[in-house]
């Protein structure tokens, strides 16, 4: 009889020892290799045999955890002997995140090793026999092939996707900004101070706090921009699709090809062309309007600071032009897939074309496109290109912190990082965008008919 708890304890101390206890030598060696690899990386990358111990000279994992916790203890200093190198807080944080993620992977393998030893001992007590190591590897390859295949891509995903996300998230809880740039200055953990500073001053919301004022105005404009930029192209695309699917329209393919051109062209090229077209001083649109006597003075479509709604409405109009062909093509395809028998039955019952649209076409189209509307809203909420290539967030608003009249949250984040080195506040805004957008998307996705049917 085998003792499952003893097998688990043995594998807890020496990886694979429980498997060896269960007479699965090859499997035990397989798990033991990971423990050797873990200890080997730590010993080889550290300086443990010099007689003195320092966290800066510790191995990859110990130094990584120390760096993530402390963010360094010594900054660079200029002395009589020259520049004394110090700790780079951001590099320490990145190395710490990588070390912790790798330790988590090893931790999963350690847990599998313990669970397997316990389970195998139980199986031996119940049946009197267990799979040999070779049979176990063959059985695992056959029944867990899909998981084995995705392991490399999962590891790459953790390193190149999860790690940057975790880093950007953690920066929001530090004072990493232009006043604390390593290595000349250390970065420190500040907890929720950045969030409190964004929303309040002295513990209570204060309208004099420019950060709060800027955030509230930019957030409000972002919501308006996202809603209109989603709804307007949707209904215009629906209108165009209904017209193109009408029996009385001739050359439907030609009209559809012409109307889809704004979507087929690269968005950046179209945005830069519109930027020149609506140039307040040299743009051809103003020249034509002046020559025709429609206006007496140039209209600054994208740079008017006296009336910021002029550039805002201009951006919304350009977004409408660039966005409606996608919905038109999408809903044209949906409408052609609706069975003609439904409309024929409605005509027999005496339904007019208007009633057929409101009772048949629109509900079916909305049911099919609701998830895409949610995705389109999320995309427009972060539509950096439309703002940046048209106005770069301008015109300038002196009452805002590092933001202009047309800035949305994502373009404000860009300015905070690239222009003003306010990395901590940019991280806070990114976290808020994720919470807001994630919540809205999750709620709306779960309420769509397509999601419920799945």
């Amino acid at each position: 009889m085998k003792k499952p708890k003893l097998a688990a304890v043995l594998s807890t101390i020496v990886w694979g020892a429980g498997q060896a206890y269960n007479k699965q030598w090859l499997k035990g060696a397989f798990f033991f290799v990971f423990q050797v690899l873990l200890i080997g990386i730590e010993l080889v990358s550290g300086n443990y045999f010099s007689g003195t111990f320092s966290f800066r000279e510790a191995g990859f994992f110990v130094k990584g955890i120390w760096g993530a916790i402390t963010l360094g203890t010594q900054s660079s200093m200029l002395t009589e002997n020259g520049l004394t190198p110090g700790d780079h807080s951001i590099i320490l944080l990145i190395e710490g995140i990588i070390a912790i993620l790798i330790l988590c992977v090893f931790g999963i393998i350690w847990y599998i090793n313990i669970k397997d030893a316990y389970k195998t001992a139980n199986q031996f007590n119940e049946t009197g026999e267990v799979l040999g190591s070779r049979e176990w590897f063959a059985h695992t390859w056959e029944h867990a092939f899909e998981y084995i295949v995705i392991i490399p891509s999962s590891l790459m995903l953790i390193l190149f996707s999860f790690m940057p996300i975790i880093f950007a998230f953690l920066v929001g809880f530090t004072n990493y900004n232009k006043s604390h740039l390593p290595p000349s200055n250390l970065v420190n953990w500040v907890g929720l101070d950045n969030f409190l500073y964004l929303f309040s001053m002295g513990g209570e919301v204060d309208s004099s706090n420019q950060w709060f004022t800027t955030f509230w105005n930019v957030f409000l404009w972002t919501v308006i921009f996202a809603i209109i930029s989603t709804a307007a192209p949707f209904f215009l695309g629906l209108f165009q699709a209904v017209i193109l699917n009408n029996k009385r329209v001739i050359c439907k393919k030609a009209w559809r090809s012409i109307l889809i051109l704004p979507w087929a062209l690269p968005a950046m090229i179209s945005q830069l062309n519109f930027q020149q077209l609506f140039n307040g001083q040299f743009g051809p649109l103003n020249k034509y309007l002046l020559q025709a006597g429609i206006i007496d003075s140039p209209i600054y479509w994208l740079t008017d600071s006296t009336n910021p709604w002029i550039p805002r409405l201009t951006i919304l109009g350009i977004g409408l032009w660039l966005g409606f062909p996608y919905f038109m093509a999408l809903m044209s395809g949906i409408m052609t897939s609706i069975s003609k028998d439904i409309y024929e039955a409605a005509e027999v019952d005496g339904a007019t074309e208007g009633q057929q649209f409101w009772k048949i076409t629109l509900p079916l189209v909305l049911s099919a496109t609701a998830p895409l509307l949610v995705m389109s809203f999320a995309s427009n909420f972060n539509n950096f290109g439309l703002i940046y290539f048209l106005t770069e967030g301008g015109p300038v608003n002196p009452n805002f912190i590092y933001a202009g009249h047309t800035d949305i949250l994502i373009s404000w984040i860009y300015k905070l990082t690239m222009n003003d080195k306010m990395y901590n506040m940019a991280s806070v805004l990114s976290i808020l965008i994720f919470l807001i957008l994630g919540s809205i998307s999750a709620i709306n996705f779960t309420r769509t008919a397509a999601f419920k049917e799945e």
Side-chain angles (χ1 to χ4, degrees), residues 32-331:
F32 182 67
V33 166
F34 286 101
Q35 186 176 24
V36 172
L37 184 62
L38 174 64
I39 297 174
I41 292 173
E42 180 63 25
L43 293 179
V44 170
S45 60
N47 186 14
Y48 286 102
F49 307 104
S50 61
T52 59
F53 177 77
S54 169
F55 281 110
R56 291 184 182 84
E57 298 180 354
F60 178 72
F61 298 111
V62 173
K63 181 183 177 182
I65 295 173
W66 169 79
I69 294 173
T70 64
L71 298 181
T73 57
Q74 178 182 330
S75 59
S76 299
M77 293 183 295
L78 187 62
T79 63
E80 295 178 354
N81 299 324
L83 183 65
T84 303
D87 299 323
H88 197 296
S89 300
I90 300 305
I91 292 179
L92 288 176
L93 178 59
I94 294 173
E95 290 178 346
I97 295 171
I98 295 174
I100 292 171
L101 288 174
I102 295 175
L103 281 175
C104 289
V105 174
F106 277 106
I108 293 171
I109 297 172
W110 179 56
Y111 172 76
I112 293 173
N113 147 69
I114 298 170
K115 185 178 179 181
D116 176 78
Y118 184 88
K119 183 179 178 181
T120 303
N122 264 334
Q123 182 184 353
F124 179 82
N125 293 335
E126 292 173 0
T127 64
E129 59 181 10
V130 294
L131 289 175
S133 294
R134 295 179 183 275
E135 291 79 5
W136 179 82
F137 281 112
H139 180 270
T140 302
W141 178 261
E142 182 180 352
H143 292 84
F145 175 77
E146 59 276 13
Y147 297 104
I148 296 172
V149 170
I150 66 172
I151 284 175
S153 59
S154 298
L155 294 176
M156 299 294 286
L157 185 70
I158 291 172
L159 184 61
F160 295 107
S161 295
F162 288 168
M163 193 278 289
I165 292 173
I166 295 171
F167 170 75
F169 178 83
L170 292 177
V171 167
F173 300 90
T174 69
N175 60 353
Y176 183 30
N177 55 36
K178 58 185 176 183
S179 301
H180 298 85
L181 291 176
S184 57
N185 293 287
L186 293 175
V187 175
N188 301 308
W189 294 108
V190 296
L192 298 174
D193 287 359
N194 294 324
F195 294 87
L196 296 175
Y197 186 71
L198 177 64
F199 289 107
S200 64
M201 187 166 289
E204 297 180 359
V205 175
D206 186 349
S207 61
S208 65
N209 183 357
Q210 279 191 300
W211 278 103
F212 174 75
T213 303
T214 306
F215 170 77
W216 173 248
N217 283 278
V218 173
F219 171 72
L220 188 61
W221 159 238
T222 304
V223 173
I224 295 172
F225 170 78
I227 292 174
I228 297 177
S229 296
T230 303
F234 175 83
F235 287 109
L236 181 57
L238 177 62
F239 177 73
Q240 294 287 355
V242 170
I243 292 177
L244 289 175
N245 280 276
N246 192 285
K247 295 180 289 185
R248 292 188 291 271
V249 175
I250 59 174
C251 301
K252 294 182 180 180
K253 292 182 179 179
W255 287 111
R256 190 177 288 113
S257 300
I258 294 171
L259 291 172
I260 209 171
L261 283 177
W263 184 51
L265 292 173
M268 185 183 71
I269 295 176
S270 299
Q271 290 159 6
L272 292 175
N273 284 334
F274 274 113
Q275 185 190 51
Q276 297 302 316
L277 178 66
F278 286 95
N279 187 290
Q281 189 172 0
F282 307 106
L285 180 61
N286 271 344
K287 289 184 178 180
Y288 295 146
L289 293 176
L290 288 169
Q291 290 174 359
I294 298 174
I295 59 174
D296 298 325
S297 59
I299 298 175
Y300 292 89
W301 303 96
L302 300 172
T303 57
D304 193 337
S305 58
T306 59
N307 187 0
W309 278 104
I310 292 179
R312 287 177 175 177
L313 291 174
T314 303
I315 289 174
L316 291 173
I318 295 172
L320 173 63
W321 168 255
L322 297 175
F324 88 87
Y326 165 74
F327 286 106
M328 181 197 70
L330 175 67
M331 286 180 279

Side-chain angles (χ1 to χ4, degrees), residues 6-25 27-29 31-32 35 113 117:
L6 177 60
V9 170
L10 289 173
S11 282
T12 302
I13 300 171
V14 179
W15 301 14
Q19 282 75 15
Y21 170 75
N22 294 325
K23 307 301 182 182
Q24 293 179 316
W25 303 104
K27 192 202 296 187
F31 285 113
F32 182 67
Q35 186 176 24
N113 147 69

